[in-house]
Amino acid sequence: MDHVIATSMVAQQEMAQRLGMNASDLTCFGFILEAGENLLTAGDLATRAHVTTGAVTGIVNRLERAGYVTRQPDPSDRRRVRIAAVQASVDRVTALYGPYYARLTEQFNDYSPAEIAVLNDWFTRTGKLMSNYLEEVRGT
């Protein structure tokens, strides 16, 4: 597992470099993509990325300058903005990650539905465990 995590971190840095950004910006862009139609505010993004609002402002500024995101007024509160991914940037990221996800899909095809259910359970529970442990570490 440590090898997978380390390799993932190296891959994240490599992918970010290929997209002309740093790993933190790519991580935040991933959170923006994950939110989908439920556009995040800068505060939402800061919370998810565990960075200050000042730091997230810099991240959003860089992503906006690079053409990855736009700021859109919040329809319910004009003082607040929401962050939306630019479709061309989504296409660019999808083109880079697409072959990797296709290979993962092929690999998952080797497993039975019951095995997929176990894998899904493990990833879901481990993600929650990791998040909870991170919160504990940050609290100390």
Side-chain angles (χ1 to χ4, degrees):
M1 187 165 124
D2 288 340
H3 177 75
V4 170
I5 291 168
T7 303
S8 177
M9 292 172 68
V10 169
Q12 182 83 343
Q13 292 171 356
E14 178 70 26
M15 298 299 202
Q17 183 180 15
R18 290 180 181 273
L19 293 166
M21 60 176 89
N22 64 47
S24 294
D25 293 359
L26 181 56
T27 297
C28 286
F29 187 66
F31 287 133
I32 293 164
L33 293 178
E34 180 182 51
E37 301 281 323
N38 301 316
L39 302 182
L40 301 176
T41 65
D44 297 334
L45 187 54
T47 298
R48 289 187 187 195
H50 293 278
V51 299
T52 65
T53 53
V56 89
T57 297
I59 291 168
V60 173
N61 286 344
R62 285 191 299 274
L63 290 172
E64 188 174 43
R65 276 194 308 270
Y68 283 94
V69 300
T70 60
R71 288 177 167 101
Q72 298 181 359
D74 186 309
S76 63
D77 182 351
R78 293 290 182 189
R79 296 169 295 174
R80 189 169 46 184
V81 297
R82 301 237 172 220
I83 305 158
V86 172
Q87 187 58 50
S89 66
V90 174
D91 295 344
R92 186 173 173 203
V93 170
T94 300
L96 182 60
Y97 278 93
Y100 172 67
Y101 284 118
R103 290 174 189 175
L104 282 176
T105 298
E106 285 178 31
Q107 184 170 305
F108 281 124
N109 287 336
D110 293 340
Y111 294 94
S112 71
E115 291 169 323
I116 294 292
V118 170
L119 289 169
N120 184 57
D121 177 67
W122 188 89
F123 281 110
T124 300
R125 291 174 56 197
T126 301
K128 188 169 198 71
L129 184 146
M130 291 171 69
S131 294
N132 290 341
Y133 185 69
L134 183 57
E135 291 302 320
E136 286 178 32
V137 169
R138 287 188 174 125
T140 58

